[in-house]
Each structure stands twice: as structure tokens, then as C-alpha cells.
């Protein structure tokens, strides 16, 4: 079904960024108090807008100094409206207060895989869940305190067997209450984990059992028998012809899986979304479009559309 048939449009707001700092590559949107924060990967900053779409300020900038970024990949809002931004080149977390003032940077060590979420343990304490490998812990989901100190690994994600293990290298994550949803990037499975054994409202599943697989137009990558025998151009052509699972989002007790494919002639990325529940049932599956989800909070889904003129529009949806 088309994206708009699965998701109902609730609101649409023009984002009036400044001409000296236009929106170039919005990869994440979160509500930051009453405002919207837009993480821009190309511009290397966070743009802050009021509910009407008026630009208020930009937080951070490209560079190697305090509060500066080389490659932002994710952000979360924690207690007292503090914003934490993950930089995968600096391997650091940068914190900004509710007024956008930089509060400090913390190196998290290891090799960051680029996913960051807020999670609350059974005692109500707030932590950061990171798809990273501090201390050589391996692929999976690791818990850090709010100062970036490594606490424990709550999900181990083993490399899949051949031939997928030659390309597997990351996980995407989302949080459902005290459950963790893990998508194996460049693979074809999504899993639900119960790290603190709280039952997750009866939705927990064994770690090795897939939670959700694609949709009517989705098929797992048709991996070549011997990828190493392919030349670089052949490998690129093959890769662009596949549909890849790239991200996951938590929508209440549901999960949204993002599937991406490329059109090598048009040089355009297309996105498909599959919405399912923990029993594995599919509630909705969209056909491919250029609509890209850049944020999910509570029951709200955000996309940002960019025009060739450089205009940006934040759209708010709810699942039908």
C-alpha cells in the first residue's frame, strides 16, 4: 500500500531554516521540550525550530573542538530536557542543555556503530543504549550511564553465518519500554530482546527468534555465492538491486522496519516500511516511495520532505 494509506497525515509545517544554514540531510527528528530538533548529517549540527517551524538556533557545528562534530549519527533527549548527540568519528557523546548550551563531551571508546536510544531499567533509572563496541564487547547493544561510562552489554548480536557475515557490520536499535528491538543492518531480521527479564508486557521472544520479516514486496538479499569474485562495479550493481533492512523504530507495542533500495539510473533511494507486532504479524507494509521516516515518538511518526529549491517540510503522521 502507499505510505499515505498506512500512515495518516496529522500536521505539516514548513521549516524555515536560515539561508546560511539550510537543511541538507535530516536524519533524525525529536521533540526537545516544546521544540523540534533536527539532526543534519551533512551540515554537522542540530537545528532547532519552534512548533510553527521558525528557526530558533543551530546547536553544534563541524570541527574537532568542544561541541563540534565530524559525523553525527543519532541523538536522544534525556531528563531535564538535555540533548545528547552521538558522533561516530569522534566516538563521543555531546550534551546540550535545554537552552542549547554545550555542557561537555564524553569519549565512549571502542568503535561506534551509530545507534543511540534512551532506556529506563526496572528501577526507573535512566541509561543510554548504544549500538557500539566499547571495550571490544562486540556487535550488540551496550548500556552506558549518562556520563558515557560503559556498564554492561545487554544484547549480544553474533555475526550471521556466510555469506552474510562478509557484509554484516552494524545494528539498528529501538526501545519499547524496557525491551530492545534490534535490526540487523544489511540483513533481513528484526529481533525483540528482554534484557532485564521483565516480560516486556508479555511481548518478549527468545533472542534467536525473528520478530518481524519484510512485506509483500520485500525479499532477503540474494547473496552471490562468492562475493569476492565480483568486481567493484558488479558488486555495486548487485547491491543496488537489493532491498536492505536499514533501521527499526518502536511505535508503542509495534515495530516499524525500514527497507531501502536504490535506483542506479535515477540515483534515488527508495524507502518501504513494514509495521508488525511481537507475534510476528504484519499490520501494514508500504510500497516504495521517497518518504523517509526520521523520527518516531510515542504514537507519532515524522518525515521531512526536501524540495529542489531547498525548502523543507516536517510532516507528522499516525498509523491508521
Amino acid at each position: 500500500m502507499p505510505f499515505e494509506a498506512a500512515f495518516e497525515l496529522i500536521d505539516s509545517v514548513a521549516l524555515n531554516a536560515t539561508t546560511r544554514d539550510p537543511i541538507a540531510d535530516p536524519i533524525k527528528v525529536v521533540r526537545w521540550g516544546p521544540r523540534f530538533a533536527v539532526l543534519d548529517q551533512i551540515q554537522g549540527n542540530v537545528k532547532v525550530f519552534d512548533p510553527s517551524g521558525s528557526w530558533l538556533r543551530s546547536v553544534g557545528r563541524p570541527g574537532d573542538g568542544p561541541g563540534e562534530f565530524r559525523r553525527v549519527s543519532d541523538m536522544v533527549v534525556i531528563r531535564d530536557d538535555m540533548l545528547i548527540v552521538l558522533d561516530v568519528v569522534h566516538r563521543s557523546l555531546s550534551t546540550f542543555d535545554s537552552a542549547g548550551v554545550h555542557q561537555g563531551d564524553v569519549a565512549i571508546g571502542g568503535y561506534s556503530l551509530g545507534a543511540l536510544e534512551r532506556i529506563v531499567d526496572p528501577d526507573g533509572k535512566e541509561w543510554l543504549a548504544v549500538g557500539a563496541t566499547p571495550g571490544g564487547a562486540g556487535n550488540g547493544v551496550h548500556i552506558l550511564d549518562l556520563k558515557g561510562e560503559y556498564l554492561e552489554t545487554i544484547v549480544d548480536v553474533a555475526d550471521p553465518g556466510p555469506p552474510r557475515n562478509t557484509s554484516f557490520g552494524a545494528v539498528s536499535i529501538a526501545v519499547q519500554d524496557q525491551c530492545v528491538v534490534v535490526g540487523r543492518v544489511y540483513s533481513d531480521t528484526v529481533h525483540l530482546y528482554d534484557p532485564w527479564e521483565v516480560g516486556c508486557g508479555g511481548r518478549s521472544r527468545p533472542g534467536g527468534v525473528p520478530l518481524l520479516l519484510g512485506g509483500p514486496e520485500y525479499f532477503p538479499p540474494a547473496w552471490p555465492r562468492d562475493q569476492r569474485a565480483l568486481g567493484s562495479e558488479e558488486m555495486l550493481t548487485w547491491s543496488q538491486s537489493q532491498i536492505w533492512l536499514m533501521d527499526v523504530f518502536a511505535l508503542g507495542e509495534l515495530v516499524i522496519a525500514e527497507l531501502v533500495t536504490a535506483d542506479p539510473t535515477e540515483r534515488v533511494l527508495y524507502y518501504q516500511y513494514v509495521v508488525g507486532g511481537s507475534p510476528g504479524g504484519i499490520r501494514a507494509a508500504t510500497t516504495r516511495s521517497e518518504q523517509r521516516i526520521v523520527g518516531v515518538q510515542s504514537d507519532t511518526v515524522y518525515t521531512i520532505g526536501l524540495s529542489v529549491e531547498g525548502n523543507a517540510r516536517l510532516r507528522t503522521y499516525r498509523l491508521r
Side-chain angles (χ1 to χ4, degrees):
M1 63 178 69
F3 185 91
E4 290 76 10
F7 298 94
E8 178 185 5
L9 181 64
I10 301 300
D11 196 13
S12 178
V13 175
L15 298 179
N16 301 306
T18 64
T19 55
R20 65 179 182 276
D21 185 23
I23 296 176
D25 184 18
I27 61 171
K28 184 74 174 280
V29 169
V30 297
R31 288 300 298 262
W32 191 7
R35 301 144 304 195
F36 292 104
V38 178
L39 188 63
D40 193 324
Q41 191 167 65
I42 288 180
Q43 301 286 45
N45 63 16
V46 179
K47 298 174 178 63
V48 186
F49 300 87
D50 70 13
S52 70
S54 296
W55 176 85
L56 298 175
R57 67 181 67 90
S58 292
V59 174
R61 61 184 181 184
D64 299 309
E68 296 178 343
F69 307 117
R70 279 300 169 194
R71 185 174 177 83
V72 293
S73 67
D74 212 338
M75 64 179 176
V76 293
V77 176
I78 60 168
R79 64 190 183 202
D80 300 324
D81 274 347
M82 304 289 279
L83 183 76
I84 297 181
V85 181
L86 174 63
D87 186 312
V88 297
V89 172
H90 289 156
R91 301 174 186 172
S92 66
L93 300 171
S94 297
T95 302
F96 301 86
D97 67 15
S98 59
V101 178
H102 180 236
Q103 299 298 299
D105 303 319
V106 176
I108 60 174
Y111 175 70
S112 171
L113 299 179
L116 177 68
E117 292 287 342
R118 169 188 174 272
I119 191 169
V120 178
D121 70 18
D123 295 325
K125 189 172 181 178
E126 194 173 31
W127 303 90
L128 299 175
V130 185
T133 57
N139 289 330
V141 182
H142 313 285
I143 293 297
L144 312 179
D145 66 19
L146 298 185
K147 296 181 179 179
E149 293 295 323
Y150 171 77
L151 175 68
E152 63 177 323
T153 296
I154 59 171
V155 175
D156 284 311
V157 180
D159 285 348
R164 287 181 175 85
N165 61 345
T166 59
S167 291
F168 177 81
V171 295
S172 57
I173 61 175
V175 171
Q176 287 183 328
D177 299 324
Q178 293 161 354
C179 282
V180 179
V181 182
V182 177
R184 297 188 178 194
V185 175
Y186 300 122
S187 187
D188 57 358
T189 56
V190 178
H191 302 256
L192 183 64
Y193 292 86
D194 182 5
W196 286 297
E197 299 181 355
V198 293
C200 296
R203 304 192 307 278
S204 60
R205 295 169 62 85
V209 179
L211 163 69
L212 179 68
L213 290 176
E217 296 194 4
Y218 173 71
F219 50 90
W223 295 85
R225 290 181 179 274
D226 185 2
Q227 296 176 50
R228 296 179 181 85
L230 295 178
S232 58
E233 290 188 9
E234 291 176 303
M235 192 67 185
L236 178 62
T237 300
W238 168 79
S239 176
Q240 291 175 332
S241 69
Q242 307 304 310
I243 300 178
W244 302 98
L245 188 149
M246 291 297 291
D247 209 347
V248 290
F249 306 91
L251 183 66
E253 295 188 1
L254 299 174
V255 172
I256 302 176
E258 178 186 86
L259 312 170
V260 181
T261 188
D263 188 310
T265 58
E266 299 178 16
R267 296 188 177 183
V268 172
L269 290 178
Y270 290 104
Y271 301 89
Q272 297 172 229
Y273 294 95
V274 181
V275 184
S278 55
I282 305 300
R283 176 162 169 176
T286 69
T287 51
R288 75 177 198 171
S289 73
E290 294 183 45
Q291 280 268 50
R292 182 187 181 187
I293 292 176
V294 292
V296 175
Q297 286 182 282
S298 184
D299 62 346
T300 304
V301 174
Y302 298 113
T303 72
I304 291 182
L306 298 178
S307 71
V308 294
E309 294 82 13
N311 299 318
R313 182 165 289 275
L314 174 67
R315 296 184 176 92
T316 303
Y317 293 89
R318 290 202 180 105
L319 185 67
R320 292 184 184 275

